[in-house]
Amino acid sequence: MLEEAGEVLENMLKASCLPLGFIVFLPAVLLLVAPPLPAADAAHEFTVYRMQQYDLQGQPYGTRNAVLNTEARTIDADVLSRRCVLMRLLDFSYERYQRALRQSAGAVVIILPRAMAAVPQDVIRQFMEIEPEMLAMETIVPVYFAVEDDALLSIYEQTQAASTSQGSASAAEVAEFSGCDRLAHRAENFDSSSLQRRFAKPPSGLKSGQWPSPLWQHKRFIRSCGHTPVPERHPPSSPSDDTSHGHHDCVLLHTATANGFQMVTSGVQSKAVSDWLITSVEGRLTGLGGEDLPTIVIVAHYDAFGVAPWLSHGADSNGSGISVLLELTRLFSRLYTYKRTHAAYNLLFFASGGGKFNYQGTKRWLEDNLDHTDSSLLQDNVAFVLCLDTLGRGDSLHLHVSKPPREGTLQHSFLRELETVAAHQFPEVRFSMVHKKINLAEDILAWEHERFAIRRLPAFTLSHLESHRDGQRSSIMDVRSRVDSKTLTRNTRLIAEALTRVIYNLTEKGTPPDMPVFTEQMQIQREQLDSVMDWLTAQPRAAQLVGKDGTFLSTLQHHLGHYLKEVRPHHVKADKRDPEFVFYDQLKQVMNAYRVKPAIFDLLLAVCIGAYLGMAYTAVQVSRGLGNTRPFRRPLGRPEGLPVGGVA
């Protein structure tokens, strides 16, 4: 075979067969000249963050799958079944998300902008409202979030172009068939006499024999919409038909040559995390006086919550609450340092964990202190419990209570001091009390103070939110830029002033309501609050990610230990037989996007290769035929007058 190929090549060169040389050498030249596809274009690797997956009191929440290996499409595509649907945040809506799930999409990847602060506020509010609905339903397919970069944005745009072209082809087919059905219905109900009158004369430029009869047109039109074709002569094609066919050909070619991407995750299927600990930290400032001093408990949960744990930074909810708590520890530790300002109240500070999971840390802490311990500050004389939640925005403050405080109690005095300080020192703040009874039929409590109220401890929650159902409390959009430093400093001052007036009984002592307590060296430090907020929001604080040996809890414990006494952690582990909460792993993975071509591209490539081989074979056969042909030479002519048989 090699000898034959060499002979063919030799004949080709001898015959100077330019078309054959062009066919043989052009593909090789193109392969050598064409630049190689960059590795970044062929495959791209990026980090994705999976939607929440947890069980709370036996009820599953979030997505139940983590494995992804399917082709990418955008929401604009008509067919989403077994596809990875890419959606940008600006184009995301709950209706589109539900559409992808109804069509049995293989996965959903939501692309978030790099700068959340630049996202329009209406888009943020809309997504905050959608997040609880996404988590309320059990989702079988994996749902991931990714922060956009240039390569991921390019992948999305190319996928969108491919999805749009496929959608155009499908839409053209649907329009063609639906239009055919409508026109067929008209034709079946069309009067033959009117059809004959309308098409009695052929169009200009055609003879009578070239134009089909009106009855043929009527039957042909009906049969073309679903019946067997007839063998009669076809009318001449109109320019609109050529344009339509050309459009379909272009769409088909674009569909065949469009770039696709296969999305593959590197992780394995998620599984339950066993023996996970939720850690809380407590510390105290002991009052001056006898043993049976009243205790004021100040509580704030530190964990954040959102649709994706690795994106839950919780700036306002509840980084602002922890910031206020830490600033209060600094202020009152200085007051309790000197005997002259050492009050006759015990102050118990508690940074609780698992607040977003029905306040599991607070629940177990109360059980251990009230049921399993003989001596505890919570058992002796609790004046009230103040819970801090979402205090970094707005010009409103609401005191949420399960039971309105009675007059003459210390909690009623604190309520009055809040109203007084807000009215005289911060008139721009709108303060009110919100009364909501505890609904024991609900699986999840509304506010953290309800955990204490269930155990008959007087408690309330201070927040700038009027309702516990506000989406700002559980959103990945709750980032650092949403907390106003000036507002957080003002609210901290208001709370500190009201607490101080209650603890030191300043109103009864005749202190004017407009006279601030914390001034000069004792004033609220805005820089301190900002640094704490920056530290809190620099890391995700979902309960599934905050381990007992992590740097976050060790830093928090060190900070509390700098100002408080008897600082110690408190751990909560789920019951193995009947767990109240179950967390799952595989919350952060690496996703690879591999560039692929659609299946129709393989068919088109096979046709092109077959055509090329056919042309090459034909050219070779022609070249061999030219090589075997002998050139014809005429014999030398006989001189005129020379006899045939001899010499003259």
Side-chain angles (χ1 to χ4, degrees):
M1 181 177 295
L2 294 177
E3 295 178 355
E4 294 181 357
E7 182 181 354
V8 171
L9 183 60
E10 183 180 358
N11 293 335
M12 178 191 68
L13 295 176
K14 290 181 179 180
S16 300
C17 186
L18 181 60
L20 180 58
F22 182 81
I23 293 174
V24 172
F25 291 110
L26 180 61
V29 173
L30 291 178
L31 290 176
L32 293 175
V33 174
L37 189 65
D41 292 340
H44 178 59
E45 181 180 283
F46 55 96
T47 304
V48 290
Y49 310 96
R50 195 162 68 96
M51 181 195 279
Q52 290 271 6
Q53 181 182 4
Y54 64 92
D55 300 339
L56 189 59
Q57 297 178 354
Q59 180 69 27
Y61 293 91
T63 180
R64 315 309 291 180
N65 206 338
V67 178
L68 170 60
N69 187 355
T70 183
E71 191 176 353
R73 289 288 186 274
T74 62
I75 195 63
D76 301 322
D78 288 336
V79 179
L80 303 177
S81 178
R82 299 181 181 180
R83 299 292 188 269
C84 176
V85 181
L86 304 180
M87 283 187 283
R88 296 182 64 185
L89 178 64
L90 298 178
D91 304 326
F92 180 82
S93 66
Y94 189 66
E95 291 75 16
R96 291 187 168 190
Y97 176 72
Q98 287 282 40
R99 173 174 171 257
L101 298 183
R102 284 196 303 267
Q103 292 195 20
S104 302
V108 176
V109 176
I110 302 173
I111 303 175
L112 303 175
R114 277 171 283 197
M116 285 291 187
V119 179
Q121 291 299 316
D122 56 341
V123 176
I124 292 179
R125 286 193 297 269
Q126 178 185 1
F127 190 79
M128 283 183 173
E129 296 174 357
I130 295 174
E131 281 187 78
E133 299 180 9
M134 295 175 64
L135 292 174
M137 55 187 296
E138 183 181 4
T139 306
I140 303 300
V141 302
V143 179
Y144 284 98
F145 294 83
V147 180
E148 69 178 13
D149 55 18
D150 294 337
L152 184 56
L153 210 55
S154 176
I155 290 174
Y156 175 81
E157 292 172 352
Q158 295 180 58
T159 305
Q160 186 180 36
S163 301
T164 304
S165 65
Q166 293 173 1
S168 300
S170 302
E173 295 174 0
V174 171
E176 181 179 353
F177 284 113
S178 60
C180 186
D181 293 337
R182 291 193 301 268
L183 293 176
H185 175 73
R186 295 179 184 177
E188 290 175 354
N189 296 278
F190 201 84
D191 187 8
S192 299
S193 59
S194 62
L195 186 67
Q196 291 178 3
R197 290 192 302 269
R198 184 173 183 180
F199 296 104
K201 296 181 180 180
S204 59
L206 293 179
K207 299 180 180 179
S208 299
Q210 294 177 340
W211 185 248
S213 64
L215 184 59
W216 178 91
Q217 297 178 42
H218 177 64
K219 294 180 180 180
R220 174 60 181 165
F221 189 83
I222 297 175
R223 293 175 183 177
S224 65
C225 296
H227 299 277
T228 305
V230 294
E232 287 88 353
R233 290 173 296 175
H234 294 269
S237 299
S238 62
S240 59
D241 295 334
D242 297 338
T243 305
S244 176
H245 289 302
H247 170 71
H248 289 310
D249 293 340
C250 292
V251 170
L252 181 61
L253 181 61
H254 189 277
T255 303
T257 58
N259 290 321
F261 292 91
Q262 189 79 9
M263 316 300 286
V264 182
T265 53
S266 59
V268 296
Q269 186 57 269
S270 60
K271 61 180 183 300
V273 179
S274 59
D275 300 333
W276 183 261
L277 295 178
I278 293 179
T279 304
S280 305
V281 184
E282 67 171 291
R284 66 185 63 187
L285 291 173
T286 306
L288 180 66
E291 296 181 356
D292 191 20
L293 295 177
T295 300
I296 295 177
V297 186
I298 302 175
V299 182
H301 64 273
Y302 63 79
D303 58 309
F305 188 84
V307 69
W310 275 94
L311 299 174
S312 302
H313 296 271
D316 193 16
S317 178
N318 191 33
S320 61
I322 285 290
S323 298
V324 175
L325 183 141
L326 295 179
E327 183 66 7
L328 293 178
T329 61
R330 185 187 69 84
L331 295 174
F332 283 98
S333 67
R334 296 191 62 180
L335 291 174
Y336 275 51
T337 301
Y338 306 101
K339 186 176 180 179
R340 186 171 61 90
T341 56
H342 200 156
Y345 284 91
N346 295 322
L347 298 182
L348 182 59
F349 295 88
F350 184 60
S352 62
K356 302 300 184 179
F357 293 91
N358 212 15
Y359 309 103
Q360 294 295 326
T362 302
K363 178 184 178 182
R364 194 67 59 86
W365 185 63
L366 287 172
E367 292 175 353
D368 292 344
N369 281 274
L370 298 179
D371 301 335
H372 306 137
T373 304
D374 295 334
S375 60
S376 171
L377 290 179
L378 294 178
Q379 289 180 337
D380 300 334
N381 182 13
V382 176
F384 60 84
V385 180
L386 173 62
C387 300
L388 306 174
D389 194 338
T390 53
L391 296 167
R393 288 173 61 87
D395 291 328
S396 300
L397 273 181
H398 305 282
L399 190 69
H400 298 269
V401 299
S402 302
K403 183 179 180 181
R406 299 192 308 270
E407 292 189 13
T409 61
L410 200 63
Q411 56 265 32
H412 185 268
S413 300
F414 180 65
L415 172 62
R416 291 290 173 256
E417 294 295 350
L418 283 173
E419 293 175 343
T420 301
V421 173
H424 291 83
Q425 298 187 29
F426 306 98
E428 72 277 7
V429 177
R430 299 184 300 272
F431 177 80
S432 65
M433 184 184 70
V434 179
H435 176 215
K436 175 190 173 299
K437 294 183 178 180
I438 301 176
N439 188 359
L440 297 177
E442 294 183 356
D443 296 332
I444 301 178
L445 297 178
W447 298 98
E448 191 165 11
H449 74 268
E450 295 182 355
R451 278 292 176 203
F452 296 90
I454 291 175
R455 303 303 300 261
R456 300 187 181 280
L457 295 175
F460 26 69
T461 298
L462 197 59
S463 171
H464 73 82
L465 299 178
E466 189 173 3
S467 172
H468 67 283
R469 301 184 185 278
D470 198 300
Q472 300 180 47
R473 300 185 66 203
S474 304
S475 175
I476 61 175
M477 298 296 167
D478 187 12
V479 295
R480 176 67 178 91
S481 59
R482 290 188 59 81
V483 173
D484 182 63
S485 299
K486 183 179 179 180
T487 301
L488 182 62
T489 304
R490 180 202 64 196
N491 291 338
T492 305
R493 279 192 57 195
L494 194 156
I495 297 169
E497 294 281 348
L499 270 175
T500 305
R501 296 180 71 88
V502 168
I503 292 174
Y504 294 97
N505 199 16
L506 297 182
T507 300
E508 296 295 331
K509 295 179 180 180
T511 303
D514 57 350
M515 177 181 294
V517 176
F518 296 96
T519 58
E520 298 180 355
Q521 291 84 5
M522 288 292 295
Q523 64 181 351
I524 309 299
Q525 296 182 1
R526 179 174 176 177
E527 295 79 9
Q528 177 76 10
L529 289 171
D530 287 342
S531 62
V532 172
M533 281 299 307
D534 294 339
W535 166 64
L536 289 171
T537 56
Q539 55 202 317
R541 302 191 318 279
Q544 306 99 311
L545 306 179
V546 182
K548 65 181 183 66
D549 298 325
T551 58
F552 174 79
L553 286 175
S554 62
T555 305
L556 178 63
Q557 188 171 346
H558 174 76
H559 191 98
L560 291 174
H562 186 69
Y563 300 108
L564 306 178
K565 305 295 183 182
E566 300 181 34
V567 176
R568 60 177 180 267
H570 186 273
H571 304 294
V572 177
K573 183 186 295 185
D575 188 4
K576 292 185 177 181
R577 292 175 298 179
D578 187 19
E580 293 183 339
F581 61 92
V582 178
F583 297 147
Y584 293 82
D585 59 3
Q586 301 299 324
L587 298 175
K588 179 181 180 181
Q589 294 190 18
V590 174
M591 181 176 292
N592 293 279
Y594 298 103
R595 185 185 297 271
V596 295
K597 290 292 184 180
I600 193 174
F601 177 77
D602 297 336
L603 178 60
L604 180 62
L605 183 61
V607 171
C608 294
I609 293 175
Y612 167 73
L613 293 177
M615 293 171 60
Y617 177 78
T618 303
V620 167
Q621 294 299 323
V622 172
S623 175
R624 294 184 63 181
L626 293 175
N628 294 331
T629 303
R630 295 287 187 264
F632 176 75
R633 296 182 178 179
R634 295 182 59 185
L636 295 175
R638 199 167 28 89
E640 192 174 338
L642 184 66
V644 178
V647 182

